[in-house]
Amino acid sequence: MEVRGLAVYPGSFDPITNGHLDIIQRCLSVFPRVIVAIVENPEKAPLFSTEERRAIIQALFTEEPRVQVETFRGLLVDFVRQVGAQVIVRGLRAMTDFEYEFQMALMNRRLCPDIETVFLMAGESYSYVSSRLIKEIFRYGGDVAGLVPPIVLEYLDRKRRAGDLG
Ligand code: PNS
């Protein structure tokens, strides 16, 4: 298989978890460069603004020139084309991810047949970690240390102090 230069790893990253970081590291062992593409999801109400999500991820990769952080609106395939990439990377944690991912990959292929979706398996210690559960556990006072990077804990604490956790 020809491994081309640039991969796009899209997601909501609300917030980024250690599972996402695991996928980004795996991505760098296959592709020379990766764009972490944060979706600006107007229909969802994310806990963290697009700018907060971007600031968190950028802070995590200041020392890693192979990782670029961008935000996008609209169709993912349009963004991928616009940046000149040919590959979308998605992480798979368990079989439960498969149906949704399969549907998106085939739909993206139909929209843009030149773009390939590549799946990377998350490390098994992250198989149960999701941004949704992190937010829920934190909101109810549970401990999420070790599941997200320390900067996310700081941002979560800030939300709690501002009374923004709901
Ligand atoms: O982290 P998520 O929420 O699972 O990521 C989902 C994401 C951002 C990859 C998906 O919602 C997406 O691609 N959104 C952009 C709009 C789009 O292209 N939709 C059609 C997908 S087939």
Side-chain angles (χ1 to χ4, degrees):
M1 174 188 153
E2 185 194 355
V3 174
R4 292 189 256 181
L6 180 59
V8 171
Y9 178 42
S12 302
F13 304 110
D14 184 42
I16 194 162
T17 68
N18 286 348
H20 292 125
L21 294 179
D22 175 68
I23 295 293
I24 295 170
Q25 288 309 330
R26 288 173 197 280
C27 209
L28 288 173
S29 67
V30 181
F31 298 97
R33 281 197 311 131
V34 57
I35 294 181
V36 178
I38 305 164
V39 70
E40 295 186 35
N41 21 11
E43 71 287 353
K44 282 193 203 168
L47 174 63
F48 292 104
S49 69
T50 311
E51 277 322 306
E52 287 172 317
R53 288 180 276 155
R54 183 211 275 267
I56 291 171
I57 303 174
Q58 251 161 2
L60 291 165
F61 291 101
T62 43
E63 307 283 303
E64 180 48 271
R66 294 175 297 164
V67 175
Q68 189 183 329
V69 186
E70 300 289 348
T71 63
F72 74 101
R73 272 172 195 269
L75 286 181
L76 172 61
V77 287
D78 288 341
F79 174 79
V80 173
R81 251 196 301 233
Q82 199 184 308
V83 297
Q86 297 86 21
V87 175
I88 296 168
V89 171
R90 293 285 291 172
L92 284 180
R93 290 165 298 191
M95 277 308 287
T96 44
D97 285 336
F98 182 77
E99 208 169 323
Y100 170 61
E101 295 298 336
F102 186 65
Q103 189 182 19
M104 274 207 301
L106 291 184
M107 189 58 87
N108 283 331
R109 179 184 285 167
R110 182 190 163 93
L111 292 170
C112 190
D114 321 334
I115 296 172
E116 234 16 278
T117 301
V118 169
F119 293 100
L120 298 177
M121 306 304 146
E124 65 251 32
S125 48
Y126 304 112
S127 58
Y128 57 91
V129 180
S130 73
S131 301
R132 185 182 65 77
L133 282 181
I134 295 294
K135 286 181 281 192
E136 188 171 308
I137 292 161
F138 188 80
R139 181 174 294 129
Y140 296 121
D143 182 13
V144 295
L147 302 177
V148 291
I151 187 172
V152 169
L153 292 177
E154 287 165 31
Y155 271 72
L156 284 167
D157 275 330
R158 223 180 282 172
K159 290 277 172 203
R160 169 168 290 148
R161 286 197 299 273
D164 287 345
L165 283 179

